[in-house]
């Protein structure tokens, strides 16, 4: 069985008790904490910054996966690395120099990756596969939680899985948006190995029950 990872997105958590929320979701079986950063410029919403990352870092031992939905990107990368991020991903169209930004993330001690919106072409990957640790495919348009999974993403997941396999590199393939118990296996069959889920987990009273149900579905793949 593939090494599947579940990454709850704190975008859907109760921000009034965020430390407790991240501790609870990790105790319930989460592998990664997904941290959505929006700037009300690249995407039409405003969320959280490095200070919040720094605040939750002492509460969990699992990796913190920072998804930057910001433009420009480079200025904020060192701040998140210093705040305790382990993985930093960004949108290629939000960077003036994709290769440079990937190098910047790695130079600051973090794993680096690119994020692709539903309509963003994959050609950005052509010359940087050797500098990527993770590829994140958005299965909704970024900006807000609680949206429905866009089915066409499955074809894109399969295309990226093929690129990763052909590269021979150990690159995580993450999917984010509308992931829940009844479609996580479908995304896994297409080739994803890391699953971001926000409202599907934090919107339920029993986090462990949801994560266990997701793992049960993944075990069938």
């Amino acid at each position: 069985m593939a090494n599947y990872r579940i990454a709850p997105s704190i975008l859907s958590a109760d921000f009034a008790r965020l430390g407790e929320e991240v501790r609870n979701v990790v105790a319930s079986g989460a592998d990664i904490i997904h941290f959505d950063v929006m700037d009300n410029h690249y995407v039409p919403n405003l969320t959280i910054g490095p200070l919040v990352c720094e605040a939750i870092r002492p509460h969990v031992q699992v990796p913190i996966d920072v998804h930057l939905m910001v433009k420009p990107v480079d200025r904020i990368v060192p701040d998140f690395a210093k705040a305790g991020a382990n993985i930093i991903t960004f949108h290629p169209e939000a960077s003036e120099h994709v290769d440079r930004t990937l190098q910047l993330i790695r130079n600051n001690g973090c794993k680096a990756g690119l994020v692709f919106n539903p309509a963003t072409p994959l050609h950005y990957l052509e010359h940087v596969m050797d500098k990527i640790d993770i590829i994140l495919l958005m299965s909704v348009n970024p900006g807000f939680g609680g949206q429905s999974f866009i089915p066409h993403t499955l074809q894109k997941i399969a295309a990226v899985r093929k690129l990763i396999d052909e590269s021979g590199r150990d690159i995580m393939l993450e999917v984010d948006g509308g992931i829940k118990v009844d479609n996580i296996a479908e995304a896994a069959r297409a080739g994803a190995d890391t699953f971001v889920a926000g409202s599907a987990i934090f919107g339920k009273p029993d986090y462990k029950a949801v994560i266990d149900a997701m793992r049960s579905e993944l075990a069938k793949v």
Side-chain angles (χ1 to χ4, degrees), residues 107-118:
N107 289 346
N108 276 273
C110 296
K111 291 185 175 181
L114 293 181
V115 190
F116 293 87
N117 290 331

Side-chain angles (χ1 to χ4, degrees), residues 42-58:
Y42 177 69
V43 290
N45 198 359
L46 185 65
T47 57
I48 44 181
L51 287 176
V52 178
C53 184
E54 187 178 10
I56 66 168
R57 180 71 278 178

Side-chain angles (χ1 to χ4, degrees), residues 4-8 173-175 179 184 187-188 192-197 218:
Y4 294 123
R5 292 166 288 257
I6 294 175
L173 177 44
E174 187 172 41
V175 60
I179 291 292
I184 193 168
D193 55 40
T194 306
F195 307 89
V196 178
L218 290 170

Side-chain angles (χ1 to χ4, degrees), residues 139-157:
S139 40
V140 299
N141 286 295
F144 298 93
Q147 299 182 67
S148 296
F149 184 90
I150 296 172
H152 179 74
T153 310
L154 294 170
Q155 296 172 39
K156 210 168 186 180
I157 294 170

Side-chain angles (χ1 to χ4, degrees), residues 105 170 200:
I105 293 168
D170 183 17

